[in-house]
């Protein structure tokens, strides 16, 4: 997966798989930057936020477990723009 991720650094699918692999195998230090990249590449993807929040919770890092919400996105969600 690392080789594929290096060959396709913008592939959200590949990065999700790599981040999930590292996280489920307990390698949180390797999973964190991959999952952070997923959030940057797909800021509207709930999976990316859930996976990163789960990692932070596993580390007992409560402040980072709930990243701040983009105000524009929050307004859109509250207006029913899903």
């Amino acid at each position: 997966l690392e080789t594929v991720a290096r060959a396709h650094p913008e592939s959200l699918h590949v990065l999700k798989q790599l981040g999930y692999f590292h996280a489920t195998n307990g390698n949180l230090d390797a999973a964190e930057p991959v999952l952070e990249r997923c959030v940057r590449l797909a800021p509207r993807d709930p999976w990316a936020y859930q996976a990163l929040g789960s990692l932070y919770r596993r580390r007992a890092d409560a402040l980072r477990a709930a990243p701040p919400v983009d105000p524009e996105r929050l307004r859109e969600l509250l207006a029913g723009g899903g």
Side-chain angles (χ1 to χ4, degrees), residues 12 15-17 19-20 35 38 44-52:
L12 184 61
L15 292 171
K16 283 181 174 183
Q17 295 299 315
Y20 180 78
L35 296 175
C38 288
R44 293 185 173 204
D45 184 344
W47 181 92
Y49 286 100
Q50 186 279 329
L52 189 57

Side-chain angles (χ1 to χ4, degrees), residues 9-49:
E10 301 298 313
S11 172
L12 184 61
H13 177 72
V14 170
L15 292 171
K16 283 181 174 183
Q17 295 299 315
L18 181 60
Y20 180 78
F21 172 80
H22 284 312
T24 57
N25 286 294
N27 191 352
L28 303 183
D29 289 338
E32 184 174 9
V34 175
L35 296 175
E36 288 173 342
R37 182 149 176 78
C38 288
V39 168
R40 284 192 304 278
L41 287 173
R44 293 185 173 204
D45 184 344
W47 181 92
Y49 286 100

Side-chain angles (χ1 to χ4, degrees), residues 44-79:
R44 293 185 173 204
D45 184 344
W47 181 92
Y49 286 100
Q50 186 279 329
L52 189 57
S54 177
L55 180 143
Y56 293 149
R57 279 190 302 280
R58 287 176 67 185
R59 285 191 171 156
D61 191 343
L63 291 178
R64 292 176 70 191
V69 175
D70 173 47
E72 286 299 317
R73 179 68 178 140
L74 181 58
R75 276 191 279 282
E76 181 181 309
L77 289 171
L78 291 174

